[in-house]
Amino acid sequence: MKISTLCIISLGLSLAVFGDAARAKQHEHHNKQVDQHHHHAPKDHSHNDKQANQHHHHRNQQADDSHHKKQEDHSNNKKQQADHSQHVKQQHHKNVDHSHQMNADAIPSKPYKGGHQEQKDNKEKQENLDKHPKEHKVPSDTVASPPAPANQQPQQPTFAPPPTSERKEKMVVAYWTDWTSAAMSPEAIPFDKVTHVNYAFSVVGSDYRPVFETDYLLNRVVRSAHLKGVKVLISIGGWTGSQYFSPLSASPRGRQTFVNGAIDFVKNYNLDGIDIDWEYPGRMGSACNIYDTNNDAKNFLILLQELRAAMNQLPNGDRLEISLATRLLPFDGPNGMMKDVSEFAKVVNHINVMAYDINGSWGSVTGANAPLGGEGQLTYANGAQAWIDAGFPASQINMGVPFYGRSLTTKSDMTTSQSMEAPFIKPVPVGDNNDAMWTDPCEKEASYSGVWKYKNLREQGVVDQYGNARAPWIRKFDKESQTPWLFNPLTKQFISYDDKESLRLKVDYAKQKQLGGVMLWAINQDTADFELLDVLQEIRR
């Protein structure tokens, strides 16, 4: 299998411009994201032409926005913090039924402002809370290690991950969401098919302390998982739960507050660790977020070092884990994409790379939601290689795969097309039976997500158990991205998704590169007999 590799250096330079341009404009927003134009060169252009066009596009953005001062950015961030703090505890970025935000590395010309939450899910969450009042836990007096004096270099805490050759099994990390517990209860999670369950989500409030409202569900997940020898981490952050990571990481008191809260979670719920899903260090993510391109990554490392130090003080500290949900490419720094992230690997057990939401309604043409390979685009393959090249050990990298697809309505009939790229029209169409209109808390605009969970592609008769499309749908397999796509000639609806065939190729790549394993979003999007999850088991053999 031949995998084309994107020129990471050129892409990193383009990405560095995005943060400043994002704050300078107001934009239209549809679906779980702002409508964005992903600068996309036609397929008959050379790879060099694509890079040149991309670079020119972002250079123009930089010139247009150079008059915006840091003081104005700070003022805007303060206003966002005041206006939107009430939304943080109520929203989730990775809503299973409306899925994720656009991947941060998709280089839009407008900032993606997503965070889709299904109305049905909100109702279910409230009903669960009414039946099970929140348990109140007594905070512990555990404190994070104090910062060292300015003239003294602190001793950095570390852990010793076993080398790849000594790992007894690869990782299969599954995200499970509390707001869809009616569809999959804690006891129904297939623990024999996963090594880790990441419980989503806790969010960070304006006081910098992580909070969540579903104690009764977390206790059940932990109890059931530990009976099967599976680890449980609580995931803190998410698309609309990352608003305050930047200021808390910049403040010694803020870091201590966060670490204290995380340690309370570990102690009170018998957790195996903490998963931090900051979206994203050094760039906007949700429009509500505060961020600092120059200092976020540096401060994030300090936060992680202090969290590791606090964990090491616990009786079982040597067995506790820290994981990160990351964007496709390494973190942003003051000079663009960081070239050395090896210090993070000394305190983080593994990263879960979100190698999906690469193409969608923020672009100008249809494309693969989660491409494995492809010329001149971001992919699963060049994302993994970028982290390895930046010094993160392959054995600590889990590449993420989606159990959902994204739909758009094309302008033309794609029945005879051999390419999965075509212009599309707005608005985003309704997706599967779980899709619903939702209003973004930051943008105040309503939209559908266009998301199709894999299980609904099967249950609603779009594809059969063998992966074949059912009329009037047509299935094709894109040889460049190594992913399938569907087209309905009656409605001109296009769906990019992953199935058993494409996931086998991604697992093969992870094994070839000797990665730590795979991550999936999300476990309740699979069929009742776990068609997709069964494919991922090959990573453990």
Side-chain angles (χ1 to χ4, degrees):
M1 176 177 60
K2 181 178 180 181
I3 304 297
S4 299
T5 303
L6 180 64
C7 179
I8 297 298
I9 296 176
S10 175
L11 183 56
L13 292 172
S14 297
L15 287 169
V17 182
F18 171 62
D20 291 334
R23 289 170 290 185
K25 302 178 182 179
Q26 293 181 345
H27 309 284
E28 295 179 359
H29 160 250
H30 289 292
N31 186 15
K32 188 172 174 284
Q33 56 275 329
V34 177
D35 294 337
Q36 303 179 27
H37 176 69
H38 178 186
H39 188 80
H40 192 102
K43 292 207 75 168
D44 58 350
H45 285 195
S46 69
H47 181 56
N48 290 335
D49 288 339
K50 292 180 181 179
Q51 290 179 332
N53 289 338
Q54 200 173 61
H55 180 68
H56 176 71
H57 175 70
H58 290 282
R59 285 290 298 273
N60 286 342
Q61 280 188 320
Q62 189 174 32
D64 291 341
D65 300 320
S66 62
H67 65 281
H68 287 268
K69 299 179 177 61
K70 291 183 179 179
Q71 291 87 345
E72 293 174 332
D73 292 338
H74 177 72
S75 176
N76 289 338
N77 280 337
K78 293 286 286 184
K79 184 178 186 299
Q80 287 177 348
Q81 180 174 348
D83 291 345
H84 300 294
S85 62
Q86 69 271 26
H87 296 294
V88 173
K89 295 183 181 180
Q90 300 172 351
Q91 304 298 327
H92 305 276
H93 109 279
K94 287 180 176 172
N95 179 278
V96 172
D97 299 304
H98 284 273
S99 190
H100 318 258
Q101 75 297 339
M102 182 201 69
N103 194 291
D105 300 299
I107 322 178
S109 62
K110 304 177 182 180
Y112 172 73
K113 304 178 182 179
H116 224 96
Q117 181 74 24
E118 186 186 278
Q119 296 168 349
K120 181 178 179 181
D121 288 341
N122 282 332
K123 180 180 179 182
E124 176 189 352
K125 180 177 179 181
Q126 187 58 53
E127 289 174 349
N128 284 337
L129 290 174
D130 292 341
K131 294 177 183 177
H132 305 275
K134 182 181 178 182
E135 299 176 18
H136 295 280
K137 300 291 182 178
V138 179
S140 74
D141 56 0
T142 305
V143 297
S145 300
N151 61 349
Q152 178 183 340
Q153 186 69 23
Q155 182 177 359
Q156 303 300 354
T158 61
F159 78 105
T164 303
S165 59
E166 295 181 13
R167 285 190 184 274
K168 294 184 179 180
E169 66 175 346
K170 299 291 187 178
M171 288 174 277
V172 177
V173 179
Y175 278 88
W176 182 88
T177 53
D178 60 3
W179 63 90
T180 56
S181 60
M184 176 181 284
S185 70
E187 294 76 19
I189 298 171
F191 293 106
D192 59 324
K193 299 179 186 294
V194 300
T195 60
H196 296 69
V197 172
N198 284 356
Y199 185 99
F201 283 105
S202 164
V203 297
V204 178
S206 58
D207 61 355
Y208 301 158
R209 191 172 184 88
V211 296
F212 76 110
E213 300 174 331
T214 51
D215 310 59
Y216 61 97
L217 289 174
L218 179 57
N219 285 328
R220 289 166 58 189
V221 171
V222 172
R223 182 167 56 249
S224 299
H226 285 179
L227 287 173
K228 297 294 183 69
V230 172
K231 295 182 178 181
V232 179
L233 286 71
I234 190 167
S235 185
I236 304 175
W239 181 248
T240 55
S242 297
Q243 182 177 358
Y244 298 108
F245 272 122
S246 181
L248 83 81
S249 296
S251 160
R253 185 176 296 275
R255 293 194 301 270
Q256 178 172 312
T257 298
F258 177 86
V259 169
N260 288 350
I263 294 298
D264 283 344
F265 284 166
V266 171
K267 294 170 65 176
N268 292 336
Y269 301 105
N270 194 25
L271 297 176
D272 300 288
I274 298 293
D275 175 64
I276 299 180
D277 185 5
W278 177 355
E279 303 189 22
Y280 305 94
R283 61 178 57 205
M284 179 178 285
S286 171
C288 298
N289 289 3
I290 303 165
Y291 69 101
D292 180 348
T293 300
N294 291 331
N295 297 300
D296 276 352
K298 175 184 66 177
N299 293 334
F300 192 20
L301 178 59
I302 297 172
L303 173 66
L304 294 169
Q305 290 168 340
E306 293 178 358
L307 177 58
R308 174 59 65 186
M311 281 186 172
N312 287 349
Q313 295 173 17
L314 299 179
N316 61 337
D318 60 334
R319 298 191 301 275
L320 296 176
E321 297 187 359
I322 300 174
S323 67
L324 308 178
T326 72
R327 64 188 182 95
L328 187 64
L329 300 180
F331 306 119
D332 286 322
N335 299 313
M337 186 184 74
M338 293 181 66
K339 297 179 180 178
D340 185 357
V341 294
S342 58
E343 288 300 308
F344 287 87
K346 295 178 181 179
V347 290
V348 170
N349 293 72
H350 57 269
I351 58 173
N352 302 311
V353 181
M354 295 182 284
Y356 37 71
D357 298 326
I358 304 301
N359 292 290
S361 64
W362 48 89
S364 59
V365 295
T366 57
N369 176 47
L372 170 58
E375 186 72 18
Q377 68 172 328
L378 295 152
T379 69
Y380 178 103
N382 58 40
Q385 192 60 52
W387 281 97
I388 294 170
D389 290 345
F392 211 93
S395 62
Q396 293 172 245
I397 298 173
N398 301 324
M399 292 303 293
V401 298
F403 281 11
Y404 65 92
R406 290 190 174 277
S407 63
L408 293 166
T409 303
T410 62
K411 293 181 179 180
S412 59
D413 192 330
M414 298 180 71
T415 302
T416 61
S417 175
Q418 297 305 309
S419 170
M420 70 187 306
E421 295 181 355
F424 60 85
I425 61 175
K426 303 290 178 67
V428 173
V430 62
D432 62 25
N433 285 341
N434 295 126
D435 204 357
M437 292 294 289
W438 176 84
T439 301
D440 184 285
C442 300
E443 294 300 308
K444 310 298 183 184
E445 297 180 20
S447 67
Y448 288 109
S449 75
V451 164
W452 280 81
K453 291 180 286 189
Y454 179 76
K455 71 175 183 180
N456 284 341
L457 287 173
R458 292 275 286 104
E459 292 175 3
Q460 293 179 228
V462 178
V463 296
D464 63 22
Q465 67 268 35
Y466 305 108
N468 301 315
R470 289 177 171 170
W473 291 91
I474 299 168
R475 178 192 183 273
K476 299 188 180 185
F477 195 85
D478 182 61
K479 294 181 180 179
E480 186 173 358
S481 69
Q482 298 287 288
T483 60
W485 57 282
L486 297 162
F487 184 73
N488 185 331
L490 301 181
T491 62
K492 293 185 180 178
Q493 190 168 357
F494 162 94
I495 303 175
S496 170
Y497 68 111
D498 271 87
D499 63 4
K500 291 182 284 186
E501 181 179 3
S502 62
L503 290 185
R504 286 191 187 97
L505 295 173
K506 289 177 177 176
V507 169
D508 287 345
Y509 181 87
K511 293 176 70 173
Q512 173 191 337
K513 300 294 289 187
Q514 295 186 308
L515 302 182
V518 293
M519 173 271 284
L520 63 102
W521 181 274
I523 196 166
N524 78 303
Q525 296 175 318
D526 203 355
T527 58
D529 58 351
F530 305 109
E531 289 182 10
L532 300 186
L533 187 56
D534 280 347
V535 174
L536 301 187
Q537 300 311 297
E538 184 60 33
I539 195 73
R540 305 170 72 182
R541 301 187 180 109

